[in-house]
């Protein structure tokens, strides 16, 4: 690194006897190094899953009846399972907390590290181990259960490895998911305690930046929901090895019970995915508007109430699965409550933009893209939360589109925007804004071109998880539009990696602390941050988004602002 | 017990033994009450109430929640409320299966 | 490049209360993990009430009560061990810890005999291979002697839930053994008893879970 004369987290580290090289990273307990390691690992898996998604969409370019075969029909299930397992369990659930939460939560609240640094490293190892297990398992046997592992199919399906031997890759992957779960639980515990115990002087709860608030809400979900799915996944393993018949209706079991247990976790888990991204957007928008975020407290409280309400609505995934009508009505009713805090956030972001001097930096573009995509994703969620429309739309491409609008257009855009936002702080270098803007243009166009046709397809009855479709112009045209969208999107993703790698290797080295002129605490440390984050423990006196006070501080020289201002 | 530095505090087994005696009495009581013919719901209700009291005793005295700051109690309450919510909402399905 | 390695402890002042709070969060995950089992139990009990009652009759209430009392006593000795440690009476703390381990082991031995008695009646879980081959327990392998579905579910849950609980007892006992070793070495002492305290919290939670398991399997028959 260029900044050799200062001690930053690249050339000094904690908790390991290795002084340099690979081992000093993989055994480091420094939250910044762990965050960076998560970043590299997760985006590698992300790219793998994007490639698989690309193949899945390519298969849909022509109906199979025309002889078009990119993926053999018998492998199609394994392909979308691999895509979803990697994207969900290895990227989007742990993504924002593990990469940006690890790196910036302690910085935002003025702490030296997380509460339990060694546990933090253990989380990373668990993640790495579980991730390898999942990928190896699926390569050895392929699992075609979908990421939901719904019985009875997940109990009865038998898989054959690439070498023709019988290999139980479903059990293997369930175990991997269980291990990954422990990684996220420990991260959640770490963050909750960090926030409760390690805020610097003056950093009261309502002076914390909103990203920290969103991480806090998400961490509670990780702690209190993940064990439930962990045990239900292990019950599937048990059923495969020692069948008692827990989820087998022929033996008095109830397959819907598994769906309950699964969604008890997996519905709140979608808020683990989206909340940190909402937090990142709440950082990016006021920074690039240079004014206080509208309704700070309501956004903080909305994060917590989304997490709370998120526990009450899981069975809206199960309206078509045969649970009692009364439960369906209760869960449909409760589902609408989650729209309230979510809408509060969207309104607050838009109100922040009102009469602001908006700088359309690359992270801001992604944040605005997030608001647009997420609004579509959230509103189509209302269709699915209503009982009668859900019966029509259930298990169609409409759901796939809705899910991707919230998770890719929403959560992933938030993470990517967050990385563009924090890149100069993390690495002390600036990427090319031209490349970054082109990345956004391609990803945003490609994403919408890919998934808007899927809404229509789903509405006309195209089932999800199908290898092919009837050869009629309505379907073929929409499928081809969608596939072409996927090409644009994949180009955007590749360009994103090029932008980052180019930024890391050839980016303009800059020790500028606060290139975006942001008022929150994490920008006051050096770029890249020093080993202990702050030279001396910072004392917080003002609101995190008080731009007037911030500008006065910059003028007085007590805070660091953007240098070209 | 709020700090681990208080070496001066003297050892007195009296408090824990009283709690333990209460737990034993409750255990014997619940075994004896299980012999009553109060129907399924009644038996379940009695057994679970006694168990909850016992669990509360262990949590409050043996696990020292009585000496912990408020935040510990709030956390424990949150965990149990979550668990109770999961039960109630799951049974909003099973209690009405085949009825509506 | 001026590389310097710094130990994490060098700049982390130890926050005992924060560590304990974090450990409580970990205990919640254990609680919810068993909570999921209890939901499964509740659902199948309500669906197969009679079968559950018939199967529960076969469990020995005397053994269950004995084990409950043993576990409660071990919780008592655990508390006393911590109190003794904080009062500076290390020998007493060590002997109380040993008694706790002994009681935990006794619990496991009794549990082992109980399981063994079930095995003797051909009640045990089998692998899918054994079932497919028609070998093993005639009461669980499909056939004329097969138990009703509800009873199979009951025994399945019984083995899995008490088994998971026993696994936690084993982990707790091993941990207490390590703690005992550390007390002997002096690294756990009256001024630094956090590990002993957390070990105790874990042990009490295992006890709390048993407090609920006991009536559900042995009493409400």
């Amino acid at each position: 690194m260029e900044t050799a004369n200062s001690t930053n987290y690249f050339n000094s580290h904690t908790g390991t006897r290795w002084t340099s090289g690979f081992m000093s990273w993989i055994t480091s307990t420094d939250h910044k190094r762990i965050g960076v390691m998560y970043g590299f690992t997760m985006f590698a898996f992300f790219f793998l899953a994007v490639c698989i998604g690309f193949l899945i969409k390519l298969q849909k370019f022509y109906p199979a009846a025309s002889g078009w075969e990119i993926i053999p029909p018998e492998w199609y299930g394994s392909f979308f399972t691999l895509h979803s397992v990697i994207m969900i369990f290895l990227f989007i659930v742990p993504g924002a907390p593990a990469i940006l939460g690890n790196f910036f939560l302690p910085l935002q609240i003025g702490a030296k590290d997380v509460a339990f640094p060694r546990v933090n490293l253990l989380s990373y190892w668990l993640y790495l181990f579980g991730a390898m297990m999942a990928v190896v398992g699926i390569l050895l046997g392929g699992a075609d259960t979908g990421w939901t592992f719904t019985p009875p199919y997940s109990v009865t399906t038998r898989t054959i490895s690439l070498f023709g031997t019988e290999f139980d890759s479903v059990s293997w992957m369930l175990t991997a998911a269980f291990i990954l779960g422990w990684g996220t639980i420990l991260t959640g515990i770490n963050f909750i305690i960090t926030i409760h115990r390690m805020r610097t002087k003056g950093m009261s709860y309502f002076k914390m930046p909103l990203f920290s608030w969103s991480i806090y809400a998400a961490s509670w979900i990780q702690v209190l929901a993940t064990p439930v799915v962990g045990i239900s996944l292990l019950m599937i393993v048990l059923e495969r090895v020692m069948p008692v018949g827990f989820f087998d209706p022929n033996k008095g079991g109830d397959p819907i019970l598994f769906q309950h247990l699964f969604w008890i976790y997996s519905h709140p888990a979608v808020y683990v995915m989206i909340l940190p991204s909402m937090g990142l957007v709440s950082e990016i928008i006021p920074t690039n508007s240079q004014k206080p975020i509208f309704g700070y407290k309501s956004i903080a409280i909305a994060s917590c109430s989304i997490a709370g309400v998120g526990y009450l609505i899981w069975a809206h995934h199960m309206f078509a699965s045969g649970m009692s009508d009364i439960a369906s009505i209760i869960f449909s009713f409760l589902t609408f409550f989650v729209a309230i805090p979510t809408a509060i956030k969207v309104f607050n972001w838009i109100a922040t933009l009102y009469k602001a001097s908006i700088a359309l930096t690359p992270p801001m573009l992604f944040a605005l893209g997030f608001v647009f995509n997420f609004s579509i994703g959230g509103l189509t969620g209302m269709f699915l939360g209503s009982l009668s429309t859900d019966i029509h739309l259930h298990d169609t491409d409409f759901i796939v589109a809705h899910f991707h609008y919230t998770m890719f257009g929403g959560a992933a855009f938030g993470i990517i925007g967050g990385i563009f936002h924090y890149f100069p702080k993390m690495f002390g270098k600036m990427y090319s804004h031209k490349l970054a803007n082109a990345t956004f243009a391609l990803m945003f166009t490609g994403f919408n071109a890919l998934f808007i046709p899927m809404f229509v397809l789903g509405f006309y009855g195209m089932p999800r998880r199908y290898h092919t479709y009837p050869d009629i112009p309505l379907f073929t045209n929409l499928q081809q539009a969608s596939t072409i969208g996927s090409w644009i999107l994949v180009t955007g993703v590749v360009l994103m990696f090029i932008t980052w790698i180019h930024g890391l290797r050839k980016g303009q080295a800059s020790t500028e602390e606060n290139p975006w002129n942001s008022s929150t605490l994490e920008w006051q440390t050096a770029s890249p941050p020093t080993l202990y984050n702050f030279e001396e423990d910072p004392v917080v006196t003002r609101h995190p988004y008080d731009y007037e006070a911030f500008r006065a501080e910059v003028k007085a020289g007590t805070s660091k602002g953007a240098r070209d201002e | 017990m709020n700090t681990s530095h208080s070496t001066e505090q003297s050892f007195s087994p009296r408090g824990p033994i009283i709690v333990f005696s209460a737990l034993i009495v409750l255990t014997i009581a619940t075994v004896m009450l299980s012999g009553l013919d109060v129907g399924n719901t009644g038996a379940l209700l009695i057994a679970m109430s006694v168990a909850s009291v016992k669990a509360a005793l262990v949590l409050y005295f043996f696990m020292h929640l009585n000496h912990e700051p408020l935040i510990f109690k709030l956390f424990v309450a949150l965990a149990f409320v979550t668990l109770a919510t999961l039960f109630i909402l799951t049974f909003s399905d099973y209690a009405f299966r085949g009825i509506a | 490049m001026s590389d310097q390695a710094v130990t994490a402890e060098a700049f982390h002042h130890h926050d005992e209360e924060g560590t304990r709070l974090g450990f409580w969060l970990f205990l919640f995950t254990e609680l919810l993990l068993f909570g999921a089992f209890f939901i499964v139990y509740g659902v199948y009990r309500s669906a197969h009430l009679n079968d559950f009652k018939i199967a529960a009759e076969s469990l020995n209430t005397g053994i269950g009560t004995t084990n409950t009392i043993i576990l409660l006593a071990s919780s008592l000795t655990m508390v006393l061990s911590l109190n003794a440690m904080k009062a500076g009476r290390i020998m007493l703390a060590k002997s109380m810890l040993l008694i706790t381990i002994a009681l935990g082991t006794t619990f496991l031995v009794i549990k082992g005999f109980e399981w063994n008695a079930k095995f003797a009646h051909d009640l045990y879980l089998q692998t899918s291979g054994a079932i497919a081959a028609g070998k093993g327990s005639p009461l669980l392998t499909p056939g004329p002697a097969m138990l009703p579905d509800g009873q199979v579910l009951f025994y399945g849950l019984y083995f899995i839930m008490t088994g998971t609980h026993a696994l936690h007892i084993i982990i707790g006992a091993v941990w207490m053994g390590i703690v005992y070793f550390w007390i002997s070495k002096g690294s756990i002492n009256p001024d630094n008893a956090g590990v002993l305290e957390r070990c105790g919290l874990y042990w009490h939670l295992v006890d709390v879970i048993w407090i609920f398991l006991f009536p559900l399997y042995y009493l409400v028959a």
Side-chain angles (χ1 to χ4, degrees), chain A residues 77 195 265 295 344 417 456 503 537 565:
Chain A
I195 287 172
Y265 162 75
I344 286 175
V456 185
D537 288 346
E565 280 210 340

Side-chain angles (χ1 to χ4, degrees), chain C residues 163-175:
Chain C
T164 313
H165 182 261
L167 186 69
H168 281 76
I169 297 267
I170 293 170
I171 294 169
V174 170
W175 190 7

Side-chain angles (χ1 to χ4, degrees), chain C:
Chain C
M1 207 187 241
S2 63
D3 277 335
Q4 29 175 244
V6 184
T7 55
E9 289 75 17
F11 75 102
H12 270 285
H13 79 282
H14 185 68
D15 176 10
E16 184 55 44
E17 191 178 312
T19 311
R20 207 161 62 237
L21 192 58
F23 194 75
W24 271 95
L25 290 177
F26 167 74
L27 293 183
F28 297 161
T29 67
E30 295 279 6
L31 185 74
L32 278 138
L33 191 143
F34 276 96
F37 276 142
F38 282 116
I39 290 175
V40 175
Y41 175 94
V43 166
Y44 289 145
R45 183 186 164 81
S46 67
H48 305 276
L49 189 56
N50 274 330
D51 280 335
F52 265 55
K53 284 185 169 177
I54 292 164
E57 289 286 350
S58 79
L59 296 183
N60 187 328
T61 311
I63 290 184
T65 314
T66 315
N67 254 350
T68 307
I69 291 172
I70 287 174
L71 218 50
L72 289 172
S74 77
S75 260
L76 173 69
T77 53
M78 191 75 216
V79 175
L80 293 179
S81 172
L82 180 65
N83 285 4
M85 173 59 78
K86 286 187 170 170
R89 295 173 61 178
I90 292 174
M91 278 316 291
L92 184 63
K94 281 172 75 176
S95 42
M96 281 299 163
L97 196 60
L98 272 189
I99 296 176
T100 314
I101 297 175
L103 287 169
T105 316
T106 316
F107 177 92
L108 285 176
V109 170
I110 293 177
K111 188 98 257 167
F113 276 114
E114 200 189 359
W115 274 34
N116 220 10
K118 290 279 159 292
F119 294 165
H121 289 91
D122 288 323
L123 291 170
Y124 48 85
L125 301 182
Q126 314 167 79
T127 61
S128 46
I131 291 178
K135 285 184 290 200
S137 160
L139 294 181
L140 291 181
T141 321
M146 175 101 178
L147 286 176
D149 293 338
Q151 294 189 36
V152 175
L153 287 172
F154 178 89
Y155 286 115
L157 278 171
Y158 164 76
F159 282 119
I160 292 172
M161 286 173 82
T162 56
T164 313
H165 182 261
L167 186 69
H168 281 76
I169 297 267
I170 293 170
I171 294 169
V174 170
W175 190 7
M176 283 190 280
I178 297 169
V179 166
Y180 183 85
F181 175 69
W182 282 341
I183 297 176
S184 306
K185 258 179 48 184
S187 57
I188 295 177
N189 52 52
D191 288 322
N192 183 22
V195 179
L196 175 62
E197 183 157 22
R198 290 192 287 282
C199 183
L201 286 174
Y202 181 84
W203 191 252
H204 297 312
L205 185 90
V206 175
D207 195 7
V208 166
I209 288 162
W210 181 258
I211 284 174
F212 285 100
L213 281 177
F214 166 62
L216 288 178
Y217 281 103
Y218 295 89
L219 294 186
V220 286

Side-chain angles (χ1 to χ4, degrees), chain B residues 30-49:
Chain B
T30 190
V31 173
M32 286 167 72
L33 285 171
S34 73
L36 293 179
D37 187 19
V38 284
N40 173 49
T41 324
L44 204 61
L45 211 64
I46 292 173
M48 285 299 102
S49 312

